[in-house]
């Protein structure tokens, strides 16, 4: 049989389907059917239409498959993120509260622990310093009794008074025009009492369980008192060491204290002054005495016997608070 010419191919009803020149890859568009010589125009049109529909269907299936894969990937990533968040939340719920009050309580407890550590370390430093001073034969001399008391270095015990201020009861009396702010103790109320006691000759003072010195600052946030990093709730107690009669006279003469006492009668604010027969005691100051945002002009006497230029000075007199304890803070 003579060899067929390369350009000649079998055709007709007995012709085998010809393989495309390029290997058909999955998803690759199929070649358009060749026109069959001798076929009617309607047959050729039908074949072209069927081929176009076939390509459209394959394109739609491919697009649907890609969309399904994308949605699945997004859902898988979202599930992994939710799982990680759930594990993280479940791991911290038992260790850290999520409410504001619980967080505040945790921070207060943490601050108390750190304050105890600071006090222990300060005592250790003082003991080591004293040991080193004794070993070299040096003798530390105080600037004076008045300086030690005014600086809060030592605890003080003596005659004095206590003043307690408290919020008004919820079911107490009300006057016309009284608002919620009139029913709580404010910062200026505490400042009025403390300033009046200083003016009355108080030698040492404490607010709650902390020593008040020249650099002490407190702030009222709502009905909570913040003093040197610690928070307190009413009633607020001020303790002053000094002549009780002079302290009481100073409270009675202070106009700001009289204004507060007028609201005591109007809305039931708490105000109680006691004069313990056994005397009162204020603790030593246990905070830092370094000033960060203020300075004293040179030559100014900031404490009895101590001037701001740093020169050594001696006490100008003997304080009447001879009742002080020798324990250091």
């Amino acid at each position: 049989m003579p060899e067929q010419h390369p350009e000649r191919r079998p055709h007709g009803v007995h012709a085998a389907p010809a393989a495309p020149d390029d290997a058909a890859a999955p998803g690759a568009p199929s070649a358009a059917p060749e026109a069959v010589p001798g076929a009617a125009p309607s047959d050729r049109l039908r074949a072209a239409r069927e081929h176009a529909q076939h390509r459209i269907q394959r394109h739609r299936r491919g697009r649907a498959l890609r969309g399904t894969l994308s949605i699945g990937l997004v859902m898988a990533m979202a599930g992994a993120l939710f799982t990680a968040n759930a594990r993280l939340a479940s791991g911290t719920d038992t260790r850290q509260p999520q409410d504001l009050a619980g967080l505040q309580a945790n921070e207060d407890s943490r601050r108390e622990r750190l304050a105890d550590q600071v006090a222990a370390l300060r005592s250790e430093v003082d003991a080591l310093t004293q040991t080193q001073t004794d070993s070299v034969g040096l003798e530390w001399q105080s600037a004076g009794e008045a300086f030690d008391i005014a600086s809060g270095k030592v605890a003080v015990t003596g005659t004095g008074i206590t003043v307690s201020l408290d919020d008004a009861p919820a079911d107490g009396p009300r006057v016309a025009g009284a608002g919620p702010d009139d029913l709580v103790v404010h910062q200026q109320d505490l400042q009025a009492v403390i300033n009046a006691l200083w003016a009355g000759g108080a030698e040492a003072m404490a607010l709650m369980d902390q020593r008040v010195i020249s650099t002490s600052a407190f702030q009222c946030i709502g009905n909570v008192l913040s003093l040197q990093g610690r928070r307190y709730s009413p009633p607020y107690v001020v303790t002053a060491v000094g002549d009780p009669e002079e302290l009481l006279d100073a409270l009675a003469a202070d106009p700001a204290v009289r204004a507060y006492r007028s609201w005591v009668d109007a809305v039931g604010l708490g105000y109680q002054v006691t004069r313990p027969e056994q005397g009162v005691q204020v603790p030593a100051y246990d905070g830092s005495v370094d000033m960060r945002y203020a300075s004293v002009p040179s030559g100014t006497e900031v404490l009895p016997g101590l001037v701001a230029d740093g020169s050594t000075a001696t006490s100008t007199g003997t304080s009447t608070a001879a009742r002080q304890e020798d324990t250091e803070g």
Side-chain angles (χ1 to χ4, degrees), residues 114-125:
L114 293 177
D116 293 341
Q117 294 178 12
V118 170
L121 291 175
R122 183 177 289 112
S123 299
E124 184 178 352
V125 169

Side-chain angles (χ1 to χ4, degrees), residues 67-83:
T68 302
L69 293 176
S70 300
I71 294 175
L73 180 61
V74 171
M75 293 182 66
M77 294 178 64
L81 180 61
F82 293 155
T83 302

Side-chain angles (χ1 to χ4, degrees), residues 104-105 108 111-112 115-116 165-167 184-187 190 194 206-212 216-238 283-287:
Q104 180 63 53
D108 288 343
R111 188 207 55 76
E112 290 290 345
D116 293 341
L165 293 84
D166 199 357
D167 295 343
V184 297
V185 178
H186 292 286
Q187 178 175 330
L190 282 171
I194 292 176
L207 176 57
M208 304 303 285
D209 58 349
Q210 294 196 62
R211 181 72 168 267
V212 177
S216 297
F218 59 88
Q219 180 181 14
C220 285
I221 306 173
N223 63 340
V224 176
L225 171 69
S226 176
L227 173 62
Q228 296 168 177
R230 303 180 187 177
R231 295 182 182 272
Y232 304 93
S233 298
Y236 307 122
V237 180
V238 181
Y285 180 71
D286 60 356

Side-chain angles (χ1 to χ4, degrees), residues 46-197:
R46 186 182 303 107
R49 185 181 301 161
E50 291 176 353
H51 176 70
Q53 291 178 353
H54 179 68
R55 294 188 59 185
I56 291 174
Q57 291 176 358
R58 296 191 62 179
H59 176 71
R60 288 177 178 174
R61 287 195 298 268
R63 185 171 59 183
L65 180 60
R66 289 192 297 271
T68 302
L69 293 176
S70 300
I71 294 175
L73 180 61
V74 171
M75 293 182 66
M77 294 178 64
L81 180 61
F82 293 155
T83 302
N85 288 338
R87 290 180 178 177
L88 181 61
S90 62
T92 56
D93 280 345
T94 57
R95 298 193 303 268
Q96 195 69 258
Q98 302 301 311
D99 59 295
L100 185 59
L103 291 173
Q104 180 63 53
N106 269 12
E107 289 302 314
D108 288 343
S109 177
R110 176 174 174 270
R111 188 207 55 76
E112 290 290 345
R113 293 195 302 270
L114 293 177
D116 293 341
Q117 294 178 12
V118 170
L121 291 175
R122 183 177 289 112
S123 299
E124 184 178 352
V125 169
D126 292 341
L128 293 174
T129 302
Q130 185 63 45
T131 300
Q132 184 178 13
T133 301
D134 296 341
S135 64
V136 298
L138 296 178
E139 182 179 355
W140 180 84
Q141 294 182 352
S142 170
E145 182 179 296
F147 171 81
D148 293 340
I149 295 176
S151 63
K153 183 178 178 60
V154 294
V156 179
T157 302
T159 58
I161 65 173
T162 62
V163 183
S164 175
L165 293 84
D166 199 357
D167 295 343
D171 56 350
R174 298 290 185 272
V175 296
D181 288 342
D182 301 322
L183 308 179
V184 297
V185 178
H186 292 286
Q187 178 175 330
Q188 61 266 25
D189 302 327
L190 282 171
Q191 288 175 338
V193 171
I194 292 176
N195 290 337
L197 293 175

